[in-house]
Amino acid sequence: LTDKLPDLQAGTDHRGIDIDKVGVTNVRYPLQIPLKDGENFYTVANLSMTVRVRHVEIGTHMSRFMQCLNSTAWKFTPYSVHQVLSDLRERLKSSYAHIKMEFPIFLDRIAPVSGEIGIMDYDCYYEEEQCTDDDQTLSLRVTGVKVNVTTLCPCSKHISDRGAHNQRSEILIRVWPIGDEIVWFEDLIEIAEAAASCPLYPVLKRTDEKYVTEKAYDNPRFVEDVVRELALNIEERLQGQIVMYFVSSTNRESIHNHDAYAEICRLVEYKGS
Amino acid sequence: LTDKLPDLQAGTDHRGIDIDKVGVTNVRYPLQIPLKDGENFYTVANLSMTVRVRHVEIGTHMSRFMQCLNSTAWKFTPYSVHQVLSDLRERLKSSYAHIKMEFPIFLDRIAPVSGEIGIMDYDCYYEEEQCTDDDQTLSLRVTGVKVNVTTLCPCSKHISDRGAHNQRSEILIRVWPIGDEIVWFEDLIEIAEAAASCPLYPVLKRTDEKYVTEKAYDNPRFVEDVVRELALNIEERLQGQIVMYFVSSTNRESIHNHDAYAEICRLVEYKGS
Amino acid sequence: LTDKLPDLQAGTDHRGIDIDKVGVTNVRYPLQIPLKDGENFYTVANLSMTVRVRHVEIGTHMSRFMQCLNSTAWKFTPYSVHQVLSDLRERLKSSYAHIKMEFPIFLDRIAPVSGEIGIMDYDCYYEEEQCTDDDQTLSLRVTGVKVNVTTLCPCSKHISDRGAHNQRSEILIRVWPIGDEIVWFEDLIEIAEAAASCPLYPVLKRTDEKYVTEKAYDNPRFVEDVVRELALNIEERLQGQIVMYFVSSTNRESIHNHDAYAEICRLVEYKGS
Amino acid sequence: LTDKLPDLQAGTDHRGIDIDKVGVTNVRYPLQIPLKDGENFYTVANLSMTVRVRHVEIGTHMSRFMQCLNSTAWKFTPYSVHQVLSDLRERLKSSYAHIKMEFPIFLDRIAPVSGEIGIMDYDCYYEEEQCTDDDQTLSLRVTGVKVNVTTLCPCSKHISDRGAHNQRSEILIRVWPIGDEIVWFEDLIEIAEAAASCPLYPVLKRTDEKYVTEKAYDNPRFVEDVVRELALNIEERLQGQIVMYFVSSTNRESIHNHDAYAEICRLVEYKGS
């Protein structure tokens, strides 16, 4: 029956304008995340899928995006994205396809003194684009995390006779892996927490609260310090694995109604043998 | 060690003011949803947990909320809430405890003509409170869904020579079940979709798009119609199962930059035998 | 021309169901706020306007809501709401009408030591409903503010050898004034800031930062303390002016990824002469 | 007194890492918008202000951002941004400074048949960055709008026997003006509305509703059509005024729970005399 209905999008457009990205956005979809410890975590992604449309084409076929995605139904993972992008390029006859998505994961976190176990939420990010030129297909991937942490102000500590203001801060990391390199979300989370005054915990007993309060006080960090520590750690730990990174730190300042912010975006020099 | 650190919250407050609700909010937590078909869906909840604090108490113990929740870790379901509330009341020595949470679920949806299968997201709600008075424990539960649908304007259809404006609309249903009655999210979703001009679908081929366009055109509904249909269907289908319901309908009007809205909240008369 | 087009909403509904609220929501509108110092502040409100629809009516006339609102165009204030509600009830032949709105205001704030002047943003709330019964019209109003402040944890201070965790916290106050009593947003903001460990400031030089750090350290407050202080201050300062109040305090905890929360809702006893 | 307190940020950092952007974000601030008709509109901006920090510097001085902004207090406009950026570069001794902000404006809108006047809200965007190199200062500006409109699906209209699905859609335009060229928000809004099936209106009587319903039906537009029309109109109307533009269109699909999306970003060829 579909074949008998006219297909407007199959016609020719005469305005001469290529469209960079056309597709579906704000799609919620169930997702499995393979964790570093071998487990799988089931979560919910918010994703977008787009392709390039050449100037002669009227448009794309929106239903095929969802069909390509649904071919992975109930077993969709970040590793499926590569195949979905190939399918999209083929079924939509496009030289370029792009998927990006955000989703929470949860990891066990042990309170530093009491050993009390809790579950902590982290936001993750995955993006992949494929571009075909002649008979070559280029692929670009981005892996990222958004991790909340504690930061304590070095200036406030230095000038005050008692106490120091501190706050919940948001660290954002995005890295561009080389080739097929896998960068684990867990490693990026570790890098983020190491750059802060102290990590956050889901459960803290009084002994733990004493510990994290004093740890943050002993590790004061400006937003500037946080992004520099992130940069140093990423360049050291992911050397040879990534071509670029972006990091930012946003303090929900406890003394202001606005935020303090810093960001660094940098290509990684290849220091090969 | 914890025992040796002073416990401020264990003291006595002298301001003479009871606090209605104290606890943790904005907690993200992994959740399993038992579906009507016997399957389990793994999702992510945003939840809050609170208890009442009497005027003589300085405050509550925040870490115990997370400990009570974590006793259900990786197997937390809406059915766990009852036990978590009992634990909270006991561990926090409170006469009242309350949990509410929101989370998405996904259901298979079949396109009406082509039979194409897709996965559709719905937002669900669950709330429970327990109150102890003398030796009696009262429990109150709320089950709800937020379902997006199509609505088509009867007035626009009636006065226009061609077409009729329509839009994505949000239906909210919350019901207060009697005793231990289970009201399935799937049933509330069915009620919501039946009250609209047409349900939404994740995948529609051209034959399906023709079908849903014409179905919506043949079923025009004002926001007023939608809430009345919801009320009628709920009173009929859930008769004897609930004591109260709240329904609302919000049109993201395609001809205005604001929304059209209607709501009904009503106690259900018991029509016993 | 309008008169010649059929008016569907003017018909009779046979489902027998009253609708509690029907109208427009998510309307953005320019608003003037008369401040306590005699100045006017121009801001932007997000508002909703609804009326009751009786069971025999098909629905309401959505365009008349915007017409009633636009009769106040460019000079709309919270004091206009009373007249707009009267107009709504008359033009829509309804026994009940309701408006609620949220909007930011800005106030000068002077840094505590340096005297540096800045402008600080606060979120305000205003709600009014009118209900006619026989020849009596009842009116109910709610005035509120959402004020961010600093809170410092008493437990963390007490058990730690150095420092104490603190954070940006959100205080919500809503009061129900008696009769025509005017409760100023500025007074509610003052009550909110007095209940915290320290207010927030838009500009702080180093001398000020030392001051606010030490002030917060010297004034530790649990969320429980904050709502109790709010309750005490409201009952004292607004005695005779209000019939009810709701207060809440939400700490964006600097050591957790979730929030700590407390709320009190209470009728105010009339202590007349 | 400030001078006597140690200034940590004035020291030297030894990690050797430049920071691209450091400053304050999420600042709400009152703003005046000079409109094309000569009037001024008072609104509220959400803005961020950042500078570059060289590797030898420990960090920036956050309070000076707010001081530079406050020097414009109660008379801050997009035209003030240029001076604030110069002040920032000078007071913070930085070679680069950047401000971006979003804010709503309201314009009178006349219903197409009845002539009924209403006020419609639009979101605007303004961004400026200054970079000094040797004795040259480069300045880059971005002006933008976010405009909601109606779009009606050409495919649905073509294949259906009656009606066609339509929805509220969001159009985003950002343009990079050449030199000191002023591009009015009102002109970008006009371009956005011309690319849609029909503009939105704050008030529509029944005659107007008939008009907009039929107008949208007579002007079906895919997201692909919308961005192409935007591109054509911008290249024609703003020729010689801008160096680059970005446009996107997002349909809040009335038949799906996800959105349809298209975007074009393009350098504008200079077609000089």
Side-chain angles (χ1 to χ4, degrees):
Chain A
L1 178 47
T2 295
D3 293 336
K4 293 178 188 165
L5 287 174
D7 182 1
L8 280 188
Q9 277 102 334
T12 303
D13 197 87
H14 300 287
R15 285 168 286 198
I17 301 176
D18 292 327
I19 306 179
D20 297 321
K21 286 184 178 144
V22 177
V24 293
T25 58
N26 209 14
V27 178
R28 285 202 295 182
Y29 209 75
L31 177 75
Q32 281 182 49
I33 303 298
L35 297 177
K36 210 178 166 182
D37 66 4
E39 296 291 314
N40 268 292
F41 178 69
Y42 296 83
T43 184
V44 174
N46 186 295
L47 62 83
S48 77
M49 316 168 73
T50 51
V51 298
R52 186 170 295 156
V53 162
R54 284 171 306 129
H55 61 90
V56 294
E57 295 171 296
I58 294 236
T60 191
H61 291 83
M62 294 290 181
S63 63
R64 295 187 195 164
F65 287 91
M66 297 308 286
Q67 286 181 305
C68 287
L69 183 60
N70 286 335
S71 69
T72 70
W74 307 113
K75 52 184 198 299
F76 182 56
T77 83
Y79 299 121
S80 319
V81 170
H82 195 79
Q83 186 58 47
V84 174
L85 287 170
S86 297
D87 293 351
L88 280 177
R89 285 189 299 109
E90 190 186 325
R91 295 201 57 186
L92 295 167
K93 297 181 179 43
S94 181
S95 60
Y96 172 88
H98 179 247
I99 288 180
K100 63 178 176 182
M101 55 189 185
E102 292 183 316
F103 46 88
I105 66 168
F106 290 82
L107 299 175
D108 280 333
R109 278 300 177 251
I110 299 170
V113 180
S114 70
E116 189 76 34
I117 296 178
I119 304 176
M120 171 91 178
D121 56 314
Y122 300 93
D123 282 303
C124 298
Y125 181 83
Y126 186 74
E127 180 180 354
E128 188 169 335
E129 47 191 342
Q130 286 177 7
C131 192
T132 307
D133 201 1
D134 299 324
D135 28 317
Q136 205 183 2
T137 298
L138 293 173
S139 182
L140 193 61
R141 292 178 301 128
V142 187
T143 298
V145 293
K146 191 161 70 184
V147 178
N148 286 341
V149 297
T150 306
T151 55
L152 184 137
C153 178
C155 174
S156 170
K157 173 182 173 178
H158 200 62
I159 61 182
S160 301
D161 289 334
R162 48 202 180 278
H165 78 81
N166 50 77
Q167 53 266 318
R168 203 191 287 166
S169 302
E170 180 184 301
I171 287 174
L172 199 69
I173 301 179
R174 293 199 178 172
V175 300
W176 281 251
I178 292 172
D180 295 329
E181 283 290 335
I182 287 178
V183 177
W184 293 96
F185 299 119
E186 291 91 328
D187 291 346
L188 295 180
I189 290 167
E190 207 177 293
I191 289 171
E193 293 186 337
S197 295
C198 191
L200 304 185
Y201 292 91
V203 192
L204 293 171
K205 303 303 291 179
R206 277 204 304 289
T207 49
D208 304 308
E209 189 171 355
K210 175 178 164 60
Y211 175 91
V212 298
T213 300
E214 294 170 356
K215 179 172 177 184
Y217 193 81
D218 296 339
N219 275 292
R221 295 278 163 92
F222 289 121
V223 281
E224 292 95 329
D225 294 316
V226 171
V227 289
R228 278 178 170 141
E229 292 301 314
L230 290 169
L232 286 175
N233 288 338
I234 286 170
E235 295 200 14
E236 185 183 316
R237 287 192 49 174
L238 302 181
Q239 214 277 319
Q241 287 187 274
I242 61 169
V243 288
M244 192 166 81
Y245 65 87
F246 171 91
V247 294
S248 73
S249 177
T250 306
N251 281 1
R252 312 297 179 196
E253 295 279 306
S254 62
I255 61 171
H256 294 302
N257 207 19
H258 57 260
D259 302 335
Y261 177 79
E263 74 174 46
I264 295 172
C265 189
R266 194 178 275 204
L267 288 171
V268 178
E269 276 182 74
Y270 179 66
K271 299 165 184 161
S273 54
Chain B
L1 178 49
T2 296
D3 293 335
K4 293 177 189 165
L5 287 174
D7 182 0
L8 281 188
Q9 277 102 333
T12 304
D13 197 87
H14 299 289
R15 284 168 287 197
I17 301 175
D18 291 328
I19 307 179
D20 297 323
K21 285 185 178 142
V22 178
V24 294
T25 58
N26 210 15
V27 177
R28 286 202 295 182
Y29 210 76
L31 177 75
Q32 282 183 48
I33 302 299
L35 297 177
K36 209 177 166 182
D37 65 5
E39 295 292 313
N40 268 292
F41 178 69
Y42 297 83
T43 185
V44 173
N46 186 295
L47 62 83
S48 77
M49 313 168 75
T50 50
V51 298
R52 185 170 296 156
V53 162
R54 284 170 307 128
H55 61 89
V56 293
E57 296 171 297
I58 294 238
T60 191
H61 291 82
M62 294 289 180
S63 63
R64 296 188 194 163
F65 287 92
M66 297 308 287
Q67 286 181 305
C68 287
L69 183 60
N70 285 335
S71 69
T72 70
W74 306 114
K75 51 185 197 300
F76 182 57
T77 82
Y79 298 122
S80 320
V81 170
H82 196 80
Q83 186 59 46
V84 174
L85 288 171
S86 297
D87 294 351
L88 280 177
R89 286 189 298 108
E90 190 186 322
R91 294 202 56 188
L92 295 167
K93 296 180 179 42
S94 182
S95 61
Y96 172 86
H98 179 247
I99 287 179
K100 64 179 176 182
M101 55 189 184
E102 291 183 316
F103 46 88
I105 66 169
F106 290 82
L107 299 175
D108 280 332
R109 278 300 177 252
I110 299 169
V113 181
S114 70
E116 190 76 35
I117 296 178
I119 306 177
M120 172 90 177
D121 57 312
Y122 301 93
D123 283 303
C124 298
Y125 180 83
Y126 186 74
E127 178 182 355
E128 188 169 336
E129 49 191 341
Q130 287 177 7
C131 192
T132 307
D133 202 0
D134 299 324
D135 28 317
Q136 207 183 1
T137 298
L138 294 174
S139 181
L140 193 62
R141 291 178 301 128
V142 187
T143 297
V145 295
K146 191 160 71 184
V147 178
N148 286 342
V149 298
T150 306
T151 55
L152 184 138
C153 178
C155 173
S156 171
K157 173 183 175 179
H158 200 64
I159 62 181
S160 301
D161 289 335
R162 47 201 181 279
H165 77 83
N166 49 76
Q167 53 267 316
R168 203 190 288 166
S169 303
E170 180 184 301
I171 288 174
L172 197 70
I173 302 179
R174 294 198 178 173
V175 300
W176 282 250
I178 291 172
D180 297 328
E181 283 290 336
I182 287 177
V183 176
W184 292 96
F185 299 119
E186 291 90 328
D187 290 346
L188 296 181
I189 291 167
E190 206 176 295
I191 289 172
E193 293 185 336
S197 294
C198 192
L200 304 185
Y201 292 90
V203 192
L204 292 170
K205 303 302 293 177
R206 276 203 304 290
T207 48
D208 305 308
E209 188 170 356
K210 175 179 165 61
Y211 176 90
V212 298
T213 300
E214 294 171 356
K215 179 173 177 185
Y217 193 82
D218 296 341
N219 274 294
R221 295 278 163 92
F222 290 119
V223 282
E224 292 95 330
D225 293 317
V226 172
V227 290
R228 277 175 170 144
E229 290 302 313
L230 290 170
L232 285 176
N233 289 339
I234 286 170
E235 296 200 14
E236 184 183 317
R237 288 192 48 174
L238 302 181
Q239 214 276 319
Q241 289 187 273
I242 60 169
V243 289
M244 192 165 83
Y245 64 86
F246 171 91
V247 295
S248 73
S249 176
T250 306
N251 280 2
R252 312 297 181 197
E253 295 284 284
S254 62
I255 61 172
H256 294 302
N257 207 19
H258 56 260
D259 302 334
Y261 177 80
E263 73 174 47
I264 295 172
C265 188
R266 193 178 276 203
L267 289 171
V268 178
E269 275 181 75
Y270 180 65
K271 299 163 185 163
S273 56
Chain C
L1 179 47
T2 297
D3 294 335
K4 293 177 187 165
L5 287 175
D7 181 0
L8 279 189
Q9 278 101 334
T12 304
D13 198 87
H14 300 287
R15 284 168 287 197
I17 300 176
D18 291 328
I19 306 179
D20 298 322
K21 286 186 178 139
V22 177
V24 293
T25 59
N26 209 16
V27 178
R28 285 202 296 182
Y29 209 75
L31 178 73
Q32 281 182 47
I33 302 297
L35 297 177
K36 210 180 166 181
D37 65 6
E39 296 291 314
N40 267 293
F41 178 69
Y42 297 83
T43 185
V44 174
N46 187 294
L47 62 82
S48 77
M49 314 167 74
T50 51
V51 298
R52 186 170 294 154
V53 162
R54 284 170 307 129
H55 61 90
V56 292
E57 296 171 295
I58 295 236
T60 191
H61 290 84
M62 294 291 182
S63 63
R64 295 186 196 166
F65 287 92
M66 298 308 286
Q67 286 181 305
C68 287
L69 183 60
N70 285 335
S71 70
T72 71
W74 307 113
K75 52 184 197 299
F76 182 57
T77 81
Y79 299 120
S80 320
V81 170
H82 196 79
Q83 186 58 46
V84 174
L85 288 171
S86 296
D87 293 351
L88 280 176
R89 286 189 299 109
E90 189 186 324
R91 295 202 55 187
L92 295 167
K93 296 179 179 43
S94 181
S95 60
Y96 172 88
H98 179 247
I99 288 180
K100 62 178 177 182
M101 55 187 184
E102 292 183 316
F103 46 88
I105 66 168
F106 290 81
L107 299 175
D108 280 332
R109 279 299 177 250
I110 299 170
V113 181
S114 70
E116 190 76 35
I117 296 178
I119 306 176
M120 171 91 178
D121 57 312
Y122 300 93
D123 283 303
C124 298
Y125 181 83
Y126 186 74
E127 180 180 354
E128 187 169 336
E129 48 191 341
Q130 287 177 7
C131 192
T132 306
D133 202 0
D134 298 324
D135 27 317
Q136 206 183 2
T137 298
L138 294 173
S139 181
L140 194 61
R141 293 177 300 128
V142 188
T143 298
V145 294
K146 191 161 70 183
V147 178
N148 286 342
V149 297
T150 306
T151 54
L152 184 137
C153 178
C155 173
S156 171
K157 172 183 175 180
H158 200 64
I159 61 181
S160 300
D161 289 334
R162 48 202 181 276
H165 77 81
N166 50 77
Q167 53 266 318
R168 202 190 288 165
S169 302
E170 180 185 303
I171 287 175
L172 198 70
I173 302 179
R174 295 200 177 171
V175 299
W176 282 251
I178 291 173
D180 296 329
E181 284 289 337
I182 288 178
V183 177
W184 292 97
F185 299 120
E186 291 90 328
D187 290 345
L188 296 180
I189 290 167
E190 205 176 294
I191 289 172
E193 294 186 336
S197 296
C198 192
L200 303 185
Y201 291 92
V203 191
L204 292 171
K205 304 302 291 178
R206 278 204 303 290
T207 47
D208 305 308
E209 188 170 356
K210 175 179 165 61
Y211 175 91
V212 298
T213 300
E214 294 170 358
K215 179 173 177 184
Y217 193 81
D218 296 339
N219 274 295
R221 296 278 164 92
F222 289 120
V223 282
E224 292 94 329
D225 293 318
V226 172
V227 290
R228 277 177 171 144
E229 291 301 313
L230 290 169
L232 286 176
N233 289 337
I234 286 170
E235 296 200 13
E236 185 183 315
R237 287 191 51 173
L238 303 180
Q239 215 275 321
Q241 288 187 274
I242 61 169
V243 288
M244 190 166 83
Y245 64 87
F246 171 91
V247 295
S248 72
S249 177
T250 307
N251 282 359
R252 312 297 180 197
E253 295 278 307
S254 61
I255 61 171
H256 294 302
N257 207 19
H258 56 261
D259 301 334
Y261 177 80
E263 73 174 47
I264 295 173
C265 189
R266 193 179 275 202
L267 289 170
V268 178
E269 275 181 76
Y270 179 64
K271 298 164 187 161
S273 54
Chain D
L1 177 50
T2 296
D3 293 335
K4 294 178 188 164
L5 287 174
D7 182 1
L8 280 188
Q9 277 103 333
T12 303
D13 198 87
H14 299 288
R15 283 168 289 198
I17 301 175
D18 291 328
I19 306 179
D20 297 322
K21 285 184 179 144
V22 178
V24 293
T25 58
N26 209 15
V27 178
R28 286 202 295 182
Y29 209 75
L31 177 75
Q32 281 183 47
I33 302 298
L35 297 177
K36 210 179 166 180
D37 65 5
E39 295 290 315
N40 267 293
F41 178 69
Y42 297 83
T43 185
V44 174
N46 186 295
L47 62 83
S48 77
M49 314 167 74
T50 51
V51 298
R52 186 171 295 154
V53 162
R54 285 171 306 130
H55 61 89
V56 294
E57 295 171 295
I58 295 236
T60 192
H61 290 84
M62 294 291 181
S63 63
R64 296 188 194 162
F65 287 92
M66 297 307 286
Q67 286 181 305
C68 286
L69 183 60
N70 285 336
S71 68
T72 70
W74 306 114
K75 52 184 196 299
F76 182 56
T77 82
Y79 298 121
S80 321
V81 170
H82 196 78
Q83 186 59 47
V84 175
L85 288 171
S86 298
D87 294 350
L88 280 176
R89 285 189 299 107
E90 191 187 321
R91 294 201 57 186
L92 296 168
K93 296 180 179 42
S94 180
S95 61
Y96 173 87
H98 180 247
I99 288 180
K100 63 178 177 183
M101 55 189 185
E102 291 183 317
F103 46 89
I105 66 169
F106 290 81
L107 300 174
D108 278 333
R109 279 299 177 252
I110 299 169
V113 180
S114 70
E116 189 76 35
I117 296 178
I119 306 177
M120 171 90 177
D121 57 313
Y122 300 92
D123 284 303
C124 299
Y125 180 83
Y126 186 73
E127 180 181 354
E128 187 169 337
E129 47 190 342
Q130 287 176 7
C131 192
T132 307
D133 203 359
D134 299 323
D135 28 317
Q136 207 183 2
T137 298
L138 294 174
S139 182
L140 194 61
R141 292 178 301 128
V142 187
T143 298
V145 295
K146 191 160 72 182
V147 178
N148 286 341
V149 297
T150 306
T151 56
L152 184 138
C153 178
C155 173
S156 171
K157 172 182 174 179
H158 200 65
I159 62 183
S160 301
D161 289 335
R162 49 201 180 279
H165 77 82
N166 49 76
Q167 53 267 317
R168 203 191 289 167
S169 302
E170 179 185 301
I171 287 175
L172 198 69
I173 301 180
R174 294 200 177 171
V175 299
W176 281 250
I178 291 173
D180 295 330
E181 284 288 338
I182 288 178
V183 177
W184 292 97
F185 299 119
E186 291 90 327
D187 290 345
L188 296 180
I189 291 167
E190 206 177 293
I191 289 172
E193 293 186 336
S197 294
C198 192
L200 304 185
Y201 291 92
V203 192
L204 293 170
K205 303 302 293 177
R206 278 203 304 290
T207 49
D208 306 307
E209 187 170 356
K210 174 179 165 62
Y211 175 90
V212 298
T213 300
E214 294 171 357
K215 179 173 178 185
Y217 193 81
D218 296 340
N219 274 293
R221 295 278 163 93
F222 290 121
V223 282
E224 292 95 330
D225 294 317
V226 173
V227 289
R228 277 176 170 144
E229 291 301 314
L230 290 170
L232 286 175
N233 288 338
I234 285 171
E235 296 200 13
E236 186 182 316
R237 288 191 50 174
L238 302 181
Q239 214 275 320
Q241 289 186 271
I242 61 169
V243 289
M244 191 165 83
Y245 64 87
F246 171 91
V247 295
S248 73
S249 177
T250 306
N251 281 0
R252 313 295 180 198
E253 295 283 286
S254 63
I255 61 172
H256 294 302
N257 207 18
H258 56 261
D259 302 335
Y261 177 79
E263 73 174 46
I264 294 173
C265 187
R266 193 177 275 204
L267 288 170
V268 178
E269 274 181 75
Y270 180 64
K271 297 165 186 161
S273 55

